[in-house]
Amino acid sequence: MTPSLFSPISFRCGALAPNRVALAPLTNGQSHADGTLSDDERRWLERRAEGGFGVALTCAAHVSADGKGFHGQLGVWGDHLLPGLRELAAGLHERGALGLVQLYHGGVRSPSQHTGQQPWSASSFDETRPGFERPRPATAADLERVQHDFLAAARRSQAAGFAGVELHAAHGFLFSQFLSRTMNQRDDEWGGSLANRARLLRQVARAVRDACPAPFIVGVRLSPEDFGFAHGLDLDESLQVAAWMAEDGLDFVHLSLWDVRRNTAKRPEEHAIPLFRAAIPADVRIIVAGKIWTRADADAQLDRGADLVALGRAAILNPDWPRLAAVDGFEPERGPLSPAQLNALAISDTFVAYLRQFPNMVRDA
């Protein structure tokens, strides 16, 4: 029997979420240039916790100064960031949500305009897209340092009072670049076989799990196949990576599907959720994201085998989605909304400006 979307759910580490609705990690540009939390970003996240989201993920927060990829990105790379992180963790906890920090390094997607230096990645390669900067291949020192940075950021998140962290291994960021068969062209212990390409992610995952014991949540976000900036990924390899993450003690796998209505590209007759459900133990939770708008959309993913759903655009326009979706007949707002209407939903002018690049989000007043 499929559980209710609004029933509590436990993670293998012992943490308990009040329901199965998560706020997806969303770039919003609202933090300060130095990575410190802004009041605008705090309000945006706290408002969703007030609306009943059982799990609230931050935007991708960079673990290293050279890992920043976006303007106004939240940082978790130094102890000077702790005061804001503590304030955010406390605010989410007080409002009943499990607050998780999404830890990430951009790799090739950390341009010099944000870091002041050439980006680095698994290998040096070229892409035909505007603004692309050819990365330099990672050195042994880079790899040692970035592992330390992820571990320190996880410990910092725990010290700040967050319920857990998510390792961002999707969307063509650093971990995804190492997993890629095309972006990772190394011939050493960090490249070649899948076991080698997954080495960086696995070593970080194990180190974080060991250093942050239960009930601290540790999970991972994966792109199952190529989409957008993520390329060189194979579905069966992603299933194996998910199985390894379970072996390494992680509590959940977060599948970034972009559109939950679509089956996999490699197996057009099959959906990703049942495949991943079969690949990992039942106590390793599956979170799924991808154009989930209605309660029916969400329930359909639980029917497929997901344990939680993560809402992105629906959560932006509907901060009370979990509370309202429990009532029969709820139809979520789909936009576009005026800047003033978005401001009323705890979305700052900075976030409004960022949202203008997406269709049906912002309309002129």
Side-chain angles (χ1 to χ4, degrees):
M1 180 178 178
T2 302
S4 168
L5 187 65
F6 309 105
S7 63
I9 184 168
S10 62
F11 293 88
R12 68 188 337 192
C13 67
L16 183 70
N19 59 47
R20 297 159 187 261
V21 188
L23 172 66
L26 296 168
T27 299
N28 56 76
Q30 294 180 111
S31 276
H32 299 301
D34 63 355
T36 53
L37 179 78
S38 70
D39 288 341
D40 287 339
E41 186 154 16
R42 177 183 53 77
R43 281 192 291 266
W44 138 256
L45 290 165
E46 288 180 352
R47 178 64 182 84
R48 274 70 200 164
E50 288 175 359
F53 284 85
V55 177
L57 286 125
T58 71
C59 67
H62 52 302
V63 303
S64 312
D66 68 354
K68 182 178 180 180
F70 306 98
H71 289 293
Q73 191 167 36
L74 182 66
V76 66
W77 52 271
D79 288 344
H80 64 290
L81 301 168
L82 273 170
L85 294 170
R86 288 192 181 105
E87 184 178 11
L88 177 57
L92 296 175
H93 176 74
E94 290 167 3
R95 289 161 177 79
L98 293 180
L100 307 184
V101 182
Q102 188 187 61
L103 304 181
Y104 114 119
H105 189 293
V108 71
R109 297 189 63 193
S110 292
S112 58
Q113 64 172 310
H114 296 311
T115 68
Q117 56 188 282
Q118 181 185 7
W120 60 272
S121 183
S123 306
S124 184
F125 57 89
D126 289 303
E127 291 184 358
T128 55
R129 58 178 171 87
F132 179 81
E133 295 178 80
R134 184 179 177 87
R136 62 173 179 81
T139 65
D142 292 324
L143 294 169
E144 181 178 358
R145 176 176 52 84
V146 81
Q147 290 180 72
H148 171 271
D149 289 349
F150 269 101
L151 180 56
R155 285 172 164 157
R156 197 169 288 121
S157 300
Q158 186 176 41
F162 284 95
V165 294
E166 175 179 274
L167 304 176
H168 197 349
H171 299 181
F173 295 122
L174 185 67
F175 286 133
S176 183
Q177 291 158 34
F178 270 82
L179 291 171
S180 168
R181 292 171 297 170
T182 56
M183 288 187 271
N184 186 342
Q185 301 162 14
R186 302 177 73 98
D187 58 6
D188 59 7
E189 69 269 29
W190 304 100
S193 68
L194 178 61
N196 283 352
R197 285 181 277 124
R199 188 182 305 277
L200 180 62
L201 174 59
R202 293 197 73 185
Q203 289 189 177
V204 169
R206 289 192 294 260
V208 170
R209 177 71 287 168
D210 289 345
C212 302
F216 194 73
I217 302 168
V218 183
V220 65
R221 196 176 207 201
L222 297 175
S223 292
E225 297 180 291
D226 290 5
F227 190 91
F229 289 101
H231 53 81
L233 304 178
D234 174 78
L235 175 63
D236 290 301
E237 289 191 343
S238 296
L239 289 166
Q240 179 60 68
V241 171
W244 282 336
M245 293 291 96
E247 289 178 15
D248 294 338
L250 269 59
D251 297 290
F252 69 83
V253 173
H254 185 173
L255 301 178
S256 184
L257 300 184
W258 295 101
D259 188 344
V260 294
R261 295 165 185 79
R262 296 172 59 182
N263 285 347
T264 65
K266 187 173 186 178
R267 303 182 197 173
E269 73 285 359
E270 296 186 79
H271 195 275
I273 295 175
L275 293 173
F276 279 86
R277 183 70 284 161
I280 60 178
D283 64 344
V284 178
R285 303 307 185 186
I286 291 177
I287 306 175
V288 63
K291 296 184 179 179
I292 297 170
W293 282 92
T294 66
R295 179 176 175 179
D297 292 338
D299 286 339
Q301 310 324 307
L302 298 190
D303 289 342
R304 284 180 166 133
D307 298 292
L308 299 95
V309 296
L311 276 58
R313 297 189 192 188
I316 294 172
L317 300 178
N318 301 271
D320 297 302
W321 193 100
R323 299 192 193 285
L324 297 177
V327 179
D328 290 341
F330 168 63
E331 286 296 329
E333 172 64 59
R334 293 177 182 262
L337 298 181
S338 70
Q341 289 173 309
L342 292 167
N343 291 162
L345 302 178
I347 296 171
S348 71
D349 289 338
T350 299
F351 197 1
V352 170
Y354 176 79
L355 291 173
R356 286 187 178 277
Q357 67 185 294
F358 301 101
N360 299 318
M361 296 299 290
V362 185
R363 63 172 172 80
D364 292 331

